[in-house]
Amino acid sequence: MQQKIDISVVIPLLNEAESLPELTQWINRVMVSHGFLYEVILVDDGSTDASWQVIQELAAQDANLKGIRFNRNYGKSAALNVGFAETRGRVVITMDADLQDSPDEIPDLYKMIVEEGYDLVSGWKKKRYDPLSKTLPTKLFNAATRKISKIKLHDFNCGLKAYDERVVKSIEVYGEMHRYIPVIAKWNGFGKIGEKVVQHRERKYGTTKFGLERFVYGFLDLMSITFVSKFRKRPMHFFGSLGTLSFLIGFLITSWLVMEKMYYSFQNQAVRDVTDQPLFFLALVAVVVGVQLFLAGFLAEMISLAGRRKNEYLIRDNIGF
């Protein structure tokens, strides 16, 4: 059985060779000064620079450092998911590798989890040093997520977060879902979610990995996680309800057209054939769509009973495990 420790720090990274020595030394100073037993798990998400070589050198000098190297770039969510699986800490801290997150925040985040009983604490970079092209979409993204999730956080996407160990062992993160970890945690029953204003530092090395396309993927993932969280165990409730509604609309329109045809026929009045009316074909489409939604619901029920989503990432190398 693995020894329990106070804090596990999970750091996903992509091409951050220059910042790693300074970051790990900073984390070490904070941990030692507060007497924490800790580990740092560096997850190299397919870097093409010297990041892995730097991790190897640092791990050879510090037994608290561990490394995982992906065979290719899978994304931040994959790096966090794999890192979470390896943690041993009572509290798990995540932060970015670009030195824009301050390790000096770790002790206060730790206390909020252990002493104040939070399940998750998210950092809020109230004062940011990012360009307007990044901050404006971020504000829109956060507003939409707050509205849908009912979680009152200002910065869902802040990389600096603290988790109770139970949270990271109970969730699975994929796609761009790292943005929605508080939402995933809440819908898994971890409702005590807090926020702490944290320092945002200007980038010192390298270039940002941010791209506007990530917000498109992010909003799509928000729709996905909203659906999955509500209907994962009962997909027939969603598809069946829509299917029933569509089928009934089609059936009622068809019945009305047939009855109208019969009524005017008995009155010896001229009336168009049912199949000559555009409304009939709309009703027919509604009936077909209703049946298809029913079938989709049954298939989704069978799939949900047969198994669960499982992500597997090809790990090229690791250190310390």
Side-chain angles (χ1 to χ4, degrees):
M1 184 176 179
Q2 291 183 320
Q3 177 190 3
K4 294 295 291 183
I5 57 178
D6 298 317
I7 299 176
S8 294
V9 182
V10 179
I11 304 176
L13 62 105
L14 176 65
N15 297 333
E16 299 287 357
E18 294 176 301
S19 64
L20 290 176
E22 185 175 339
L23 176 61
T24 54
Q25 290 169 14
W26 192 355
I27 292 173
N28 179 262
R29 287 197 303 271
V30 172
M31 297 298 188
V32 171
S33 65
H34 288 82
F36 290 130
L37 290 175
Y38 77 100
E39 65 180 358
V40 177
I41 301 175
L42 300 164
V43 185
D44 183 352
D45 186 25
S47 294
T48 56
D49 67 355
S51 293
W52 185 246
Q53 288 79 7
V54 173
I55 292 172
Q56 289 177 310
E57 293 170 3
L58 294 171
Q61 301 168 16
D62 187 350
N64 295 309
L65 298 185
K66 300 179 179 180
I68 298 173
R69 184 187 187 190
F70 284 165
N71 200 51
R72 66 170 179 84
N73 176 245
Y74 288 105
K76 187 174 182 178
S77 293
L80 288 174
N81 197 59
V82 170
F84 286 162
E86 300 295 341
T87 57
R88 297 182 293 128
R90 165 69 178 82
V91 173
V92 177
I93 304 287
T94 60
M95 62 193 316
D96 294 334
D98 55 13
L99 291 173
Q100 291 189 281
D101 295 330
S102 172
D104 289 331
E105 308 282 358
I106 291 176
D108 288 338
L109 291 170
Y110 176 84
K111 289 178 182 178
M112 291 181 73
I113 298 293
V114 174
E115 297 179 10
E116 299 179 35
Y118 284 98
D119 296 316
L120 186 156
V121 179
S122 181
W124 174 20
K125 296 174 180 176
K126 197 170 184 179
K127 181 179 180 181
R128 302 185 66 100
Y129 294 96
D130 293 322
L132 185 64
S133 61
K134 184 174 180 180
T135 55
L136 183 59
T138 296
K139 289 181 181 295
L140 296 173
F141 162 82
N142 286 320
T145 307
R146 272 196 304 274
K147 182 72 173 178
I148 293 174
S149 68
K150 310 300 182 186
I151 301 174
K152 296 180 179 180
L153 294 179
H154 291 85
D155 191 357
F156 285 85
N157 197 33
C158 178
L160 185 58
K161 290 183 173 67
Y163 308 82
D164 186 287
E165 61 176 333
R166 297 171 301 156
V167 177
V168 300
K169 299 299 183 183
S170 304
I171 62 176
E172 185 175 6
V173 193
Y174 58 91
E176 294 289 320
M177 295 299 185
H178 61 275
R179 304 168 183 274
Y180 304 111
I181 291 180
V183 182
I184 299 172
K186 179 186 176 182
W187 286 337
N188 275 274
F190 299 103
K192 191 168 184 181
I193 298 173
E195 186 173 57
K196 181 184 182 300
V197 176
V198 297
Q199 179 185 6
H200 184 222
R201 307 171 75 245
E202 292 188 70
R203 174 178 276 276
K204 188 173 181 179
Y205 303 107
T207 58
T208 181
K209 312 304 183 298
F210 167 80
L212 289 177
E213 73 279 356
R214 294 192 177 187
F215 282 103
V216 177
Y217 301 149
F219 279 112
L220 292 176
D221 278 331
L222 179 59
M223 296 171 61
S224 173
I225 194 174
T226 301
F227 173 81
V228 169
S229 298
K230 291 184 177 181
F231 299 105
R232 178 177 55 186
K233 299 297 184 183
R234 44 192 174 88
M236 191 58 179
H237 288 197
F238 177 78
F239 290 107
S241 298
L242 291 179
T244 300
L245 180 62
S246 180
F247 184 88
L248 284 176
I249 290 173
F251 178 78
L252 290 174
I253 291 175
T254 303
S255 299
W256 180 75
L257 291 174
V258 171
M259 288 170 35
E260 182 186 47
K261 169 70 174 177
M262 293 175 62
Y263 173 80
Y264 284 114
S265 295
F266 285 129
Q267 297 293 323
N268 294 318
Q269 298 182 29
V271 62
R272 287 190 300 173
D273 290 338
V274 171
T275 55
D276 286 341
Q277 301 189 50
L279 194 59
F280 169 75
F281 293 99
L282 292 176
L284 186 61
V285 169
V287 170
V288 172
V289 169
V291 173
Q292 289 180 329
L293 286 170
F294 257 104
L295 291 175
F298 282 121
L299 289 174
E301 288 281 352
M302 294 172 65
I303 291 171
S304 67
L305 291 173
R308 59 186 292 272
R309 186 184 189 120
K310 184 67 177 176
N311 288 303
E312 294 182 357
Y313 306 106
L314 185 57
I315 296 174
R316 185 172 181 177
D317 202 354
N318 65 73
I319 300 171
F321 295 100

